[in-house]
Amino acid sequence: MCGIIGYVGGRPCYELIVRGLEHLEYRGYDSAGFALLDAERDRFSLVRSVGKLEDLRRASNGSAERLAGPTTGIGHTRWATHGRVTLENAHPHLSGDGEVAVVMNGIIENYVDLRHRLQDEGVVFASETDTEVLPHLIRKHYAGDLVAAVRAVLAQIEGHYAFVASHVSEPNRLVAVRHECPLVVGVGTEETFVASALPAFLGETRDVIYPDNDELVVVDADGVTVLDLSGEPVVREPSTWEGSEETAEKGGYDTFMLKEIHEQPAALWDTIGSRLGADGTVTLDGIGLEDPTLARVERVHIVACGTSFHAGLAGRYLIEDWARIPVSVEVASEYRYRTCLAGPGDLVIGITQSGETADTLAAMRVARERGAHVVALTNQTESQATRDADGVLLTRAGLEIGVAATKTHTAQIMALALLALKLGRMRWAITEAGARELAEELRRLPDAIEAYLESPAPAAVADVAAHFVERDFFLYLGRHVGVPVCYEGALKLKEISYVPTEAYPAGEMKHGPIALLDEGSPVVVVAPDGHVFDKVVSNIQEVRARGARVIAVATEGNGEIASHADHVLWAPRTPALLAPITTIVPLQLFAYEIAKGKGLNVDKPRNLAKTVTVE
Ligand code: AGP
C-alpha cells in the first residue's frame, strides 16, 4: 500500500510527480504530499494534505511560482499503517534540519527501538510514523554521500519497505531501495523516474528497470546506477514495457467500478485468448511445467486474499470435478504461518491480481521453499509474484482501478477453469466429447455476460437495490458453488457501502446465523440451477418463515424461483460449475447500486487500498 514516486531530470517536476501520484492513488488515499528540491534556496518545498490528490493540488495552488522550478522531487500517496490520518503523518518526512526528505511504502518493524534511540540522542519527531526514523537516521549518517548514508541505515532497519531519499546538498540525485516491496525505475531521455508501479510514469517512458531486493538505485542527472549492498555496481539493462499504456480513464462511465464491471466480457475473452482450442485443448505457456509433469500433480493448494481467495474457492470445484485432483484453498495470511506440508509433486497457485499482496507472496515463498511448484495467477506481468514464482498464469483483464475487484475476479475464475480443463484432459478425467462441450461453454460465457449487461437486467438490479438502500444488515446464503459467490457478493457490499454482511453456506444457517434474522431482514440467496437448487429452495423457505425478505440470484429461465423469493436477480444460463462467473455479476451491480444510493465513492472506499503490500 502507499504509492511512492521520485523524479530527476531536466523538466520541472511538480506536474510529473502529482500526475504520477494520481496514477498511484489506488494504492492509498488517506493523505498525499511531495517534496521538491529547491536548489536555489537549498531546501525542500514541502506540500502535504490530508485526503485525496485533488486536495494536494488545492494545497499547492498558493505556491505555483515556488513549485515551477525544481527538477528533482519525491512524492507519496498514503494508506495509513503507523500513525493516524493527519497532516503531520503525511509523507514526505524530513530530518530535523530539513536537509533529508524520504517517502516510503511498507513498514519498518523495529522503528520503536530506533525511535527511542534517536530520541535519546536528542532527535525530535514530528510524526507518529515508522517512516520518520529514516530521514533522521540518514541525516545522522550523512557525511557528504547520500548513498553511503542510506547503506548505513539499511544495516539497521528491519521490515519490508521501498523508499526514496533525497538530500539538499545533492540536488540532482535520489537514492531508492526496496526490500520485499515494489519499486520500478523508468528510464527516459535525460530523466529518470522511480515509483511503486509502472502507471506512475508510463505516459513518459516505457523503458523500465526492475531492481531486486536490497539493491540501491542511484538516480543522477546523467542516468541510473544500481548497486548491491556492498556498493558494487550491478548491471541492470532497461527492458521496454510492451503492454498498453493503461491510463486510468473512466471511458464515459460514472465510476471505474462500473466501467470494470462492463469490461468483464472483454477480460474473459482476453483471458481465454488463443489458449483454448475448439477441441478443448488448453495451452498455458508460462506455467513452467511440462504437460507430463503437470499431469502427475498430486495436490493443488491455492493461496490468496480477499476477492482472489474467493476466486480460488470457486476454482476448487472446477479442478476437483474436472481433473479429480484434491484442492485446498487457504487465506494466505494464515497459510504462511502454518506448518506447510506442500512439497514436490504439489502445485501451489498464488492468486493475486496485483501480484503484490504481501501475504500471498509470503505464502508462495513458504511453499516454494518446501519444493512445491509455485504458479502466480496474476493480472500484472512484471509484478513481484511473477518474479517469485516458478510459473505464471496471466489473467488479461487490463488495469483495474476500482478498489473493489470485479473484472479481475471473473477473469481469475476463467483462468482456473482453463487450468482445470487442461488438467482434466491430461488425466483423462474428461472425455474428448466432454472437453469439446466445456470449451464451447467457456467460449460462450463472455458473450452471455455481454448480452446480460446490455439487457434491461442491470436496470432491474438497480430497482431491487433501491428497496434496500437503508437496510443495515444483509445475510448471504448459498450452497456448493454458490458459497464463494456469497462470500464475494457480501464482500463487495461491505467494502463499498459499509453495510455489515454475513455470508454463510446455507446448510450451516441453522447452526447459528439464522438467529440474526428478524421481520424484514434482507437475505440474498445464490440459487443457480444445479443439483443443490432444491436444497437452497428449502433454505429459502426457512428464512422466509422467520420473516426474511429474500433476494434470489437465479438462472435466467428458471420458472420456479419467482414463487419462492421476494425479488429475483437473474444471471445468464451456464453449466452449474461455471455459475460463479455469471452469478457474481448481478451481485457486483447490487452492491454498486446500494453504495451509489447511499451517495458513497465506490472507487475509493474508506480505509481500503487497492494493493495490500503490508501484512
Ligand atoms: C477486493 O475487492 C478487495 N479490494 C481485496 O479483497 C483484494 O481482492 C485483496 O486485497 C487481494 O488483492 P490481490 O488480488 O491484488 O492480491
Side-chain angles (χ1 to χ4, degrees), residues 371-605:
H373 185 84
V374 176
V375 167
L377 200 179
T378 180
N379 200 41
Q380 299 295 334
T381 38
E382 292 294 346
S383 58
Q384 192 59 37
T386 63
R387 277 177 263 157
D388 285 356
D390 300 299
V392 177
L393 178 50
L394 277 182
T395 49
R396 299 178 186 132
L399 185 66
E400 190 177 66
I401 296 286
V403 165
T406 52
K407 60 176 179 172
T408 53
H409 174 68
T410 42
Q412 287 165 345
I413 305 174
M414 177 58 84
L416 291 169
L418 293 174
L419 176 65
L421 179 54
K422 183 176 179 65
L423 291 167
R425 271 310 282 141
M426 287 186 320
R427 296 163 68 90
W428 299 100
I430 303 178
T431 61
E432 265 179 52
R436 200 177 291 277
E437 240 172 71
L438 288 174
E440 212 169 288
E441 291 293 353
L442 289 172
R443 288 184 168 283
R444 224 179 48 78
L445 261 175
D447 289 345
I449 293 176
E450 186 166 70
Y452 168 86
L453 288 167
E454 284 169 4
S455 75
V461 174
D463 289 344
V464 174
H467 291 94
F468 295 95
V469 171
E470 300 304 328
R471 300 307 306 209
D472 55 7
F473 171 73
F474 288 77
L475 178 63
Y476 284 66
L477 297 174
R479 280 176 183 258
H480 195 247
V481 291
V483 175
V485 180
C486 286
Y487 292 155
E488 176 57 10
L491 176 66
K492 287 288 90 89
L493 186 60
K494 75 177 74 139
E495 71 181 332
I496 61 172
S497 71
Y498 319 143
V499 179
T501 59
E502 179 76 280
Y504 247 76
E508 277 288 290
M509 173 189 65
K510 294 190 282 292
H511 300 282
I514 198 165
L516 293 166
L517 300 181
D518 210 342
E519 196 60 37
S521 303
V523 179
V524 177
V525 183
V526 179
D529 286 3
H531 68 293
V532 292
F533 177 78
D534 290 342
K535 304 276 175 205
V536 177
V537 167
S538 302
N539 296 130
I540 291 178
Q541 302 303 349
E542 288 161 358
V543 298
R544 286 189 98 191
R546 271 89 192 159
R549 285 165 76 193
V550 170
I551 305 148
V553 181
T555 307
E556 261 164 8
N558 181 300
E560 189 187 336
I561 192 74
S563 62
H564 300 297
D566 297 273
H567 304 275
V568 182
L569 309 181
W570 297 108
R573 176 166 293 281
T574 190
L577 289 177
L578 294 173
I581 300 183
T582 52
T583 49
I584 192 57
V585 180
L587 290 182
Q588 293 167 344
L589 290 166
F590 184 71
Y592 179 84
E593 295 297 343
I594 298 247
K596 289 298 279 183
K598 288 176 173 296
L600 297 169
N601 181 343
V602 298
D603 285 335
K604 291 177 186 153

Side-chain angles (χ1 to χ4, degrees), residues 159-242:
H160 46 280
Y161 47 76
F163 68 82
V164 192
S166 178
H167 193 290
V168 281
S169 303
E170 300 183 43
N172 294 314
R173 169 169 281 196
L174 295 177
V175 178
V177 68
R178 62 174 287 255
H179 181 79
E180 308 294 355
C181 279
L183 186 76
V184 286
V185 182
V187 184
T189 310
E190 293 177 5
E191 63 183 6
T192 307
F193 297 79
V194 287
S196 298
L198 297 176
F201 55 68
L202 272 188
E204 307 299 331
T205 179
R206 288 165 162 261
D207 292 335
V208 184
I209 293 175
Y210 301 95
D212 260 347
N213 268 337
D214 303 318
E215 288 179 348
L216 286 133
V217 177
V218 184
V219 182
D220 289 307
D222 49 3
V224 194
T225 319
V226 181
L227 306 173
D228 67 17
L229 272 185
S230 61
E232 288 301 311
V234 179
V235 180
R236 291 240 171 264
E237 294 299 335
S239 55
T240 303
W241 167 254
E242 302 288 0

Side-chain angles (χ1 to χ4, degrees), residues 305-308 351-355 357 360 403-405 412 491-492 495 610 612:
C305 300
T307 288
S308 296
I351 309 180
T352 164
Q353 78 78 22
S354 62
T357 298
T360 307
V403 165
Q412 287 165 345
L491 176 66
K492 287 288 90 89
E495 71 181 332
K610 184 71 183 161
V612 182

